[in-house]
Amino acid sequence: TILISIIILAVNAICFHLGTCLASSKNEKTSVVPELIYRQASLKLRKKSAYYLDNYHDFYDQFYLSLKLVKTYRYNDEIVLEPAIHSQKAITTKTEWGIDQAYIRSYGKLFNLTVGKKTEYEGSAYFVNPSDLLNENKDLFDSFYQREGQVFTRIGFLYNELYANIGFIP
């Protein structure tokens, strides 16, 4: 864990330096946000519970490592890439990796565009939220696994004070 943290800090320093040197104008910004989560829990599961599954364990020893790379242009257009590696929920000795987020977002005077895989929450309700079409398969008891975004495309139109979105979710 300490070695991984040192590597992340070194990569962060190098990328920050390269991003600062490569930026062609004051309107561009490059950021690297590493995140390492380690948790250990001992659970007393109730087999009579409606939420009990056979693949649950009574002890978890998990980690989650992500590296979020963000390039911003003209203060509001951005490109984001966030690869991650984490231990599996059912078998904590095995690891999985993937891309949590990878998207392009651009804001204009009349149109806004978001394309890619992005984590996004709409509305204020947590258990039941009919307006949150992107996150229908929530894990209500473990937000650790809600970090991976959904693939979608959205175009927003802005006219005076009216704002409308049209989107596509595969």
Side-chain angles (χ1 to χ4, degrees):
T1 305
I2 294 171
L3 180 62
I4 291 173
S5 300
I6 292 171
I7 291 170
I8 290 172
L9 291 174
V11 168
N12 190 10
I14 291 168
C15 291
F16 179 77
H17 178 70
L18 286 175
T20 305
C21 294
L22 295 175
S24 62
S25 70
K26 294 180 182 179
N27 297 342
E28 293 183 14
K29 178 183 169 188
T30 302
S31 64
V32 178
V33 183
E35 184 176 19
L36 175 63
I37 298 171
Y38 175 76
R39 70 180 182 173
Q40 189 175 20
S42 178
L43 307 170
K44 184 175 181 182
L45 298 174
R46 297 182 186 175
K47 292 186 178 183
K48 295 180 182 178
S49 171
Y51 302 108
Y52 179 81
L53 297 176
D54 289 333
N55 63 348
Y56 282 179
H57 299 282
D58 61 351
F59 180 78
Y60 280 114
D61 185 20
Q62 296 177 291
F63 74 93
Y64 199 100
L65 173 65
S66 68
L67 186 64
K68 188 172 187 177
L69 310 166
V70 181
K71 181 71 175 180
T72 306
Y73 300 94
R74 295 187 313 266
Y75 298 111
N76 57 3
D77 299 337
E78 65 182 4
I79 299 171
V80 175
L81 178 64
E82 185 177 1
I85 184 169
H86 60 86
S87 56
Q88 290 182 358
K89 187 172 186 176
I91 307 170
T92 58
T93 57
K94 292 189 178 183
T95 57
E96 296 178 335
W97 69 275
I99 304 294
D100 279 354
Q101 297 188 82
Y103 66 90
I104 298 172
R105 184 168 58 183
S106 179
Y107 292 104
K109 291 182 180 181
L110 296 175
F111 299 101
N112 300 332
L113 176 67
T114 304
V115 177
K117 185 177 186 180
K118 185 174 184 306
T119 303
E120 193 169 85
Y121 298 102
E122 295 291 330
S124 60
Y126 187 74
F127 288 104
V128 177
N129 189 354
S131 65
D132 194 0
L133 300 174
L134 293 174
N135 302 298
E136 293 176 355
N137 300 324
K138 288 184 182 180
D139 188 345
L140 300 176
F141 300 101
D142 196 355
S143 61
F144 194 62
Y145 293 95
Q146 294 179 15
R147 302 173 60 92
E148 187 173 355
Q150 298 293 323
V151 176
F152 68 94
T153 302
R154 178 178 57 220
I155 299 173
F157 303 98
L158 178 66
Y159 181 72
N160 289 336
E161 294 182 11
L162 296 173
Y163 187 73
N165 283 321
I166 297 174
F168 173 72
I169 303 170

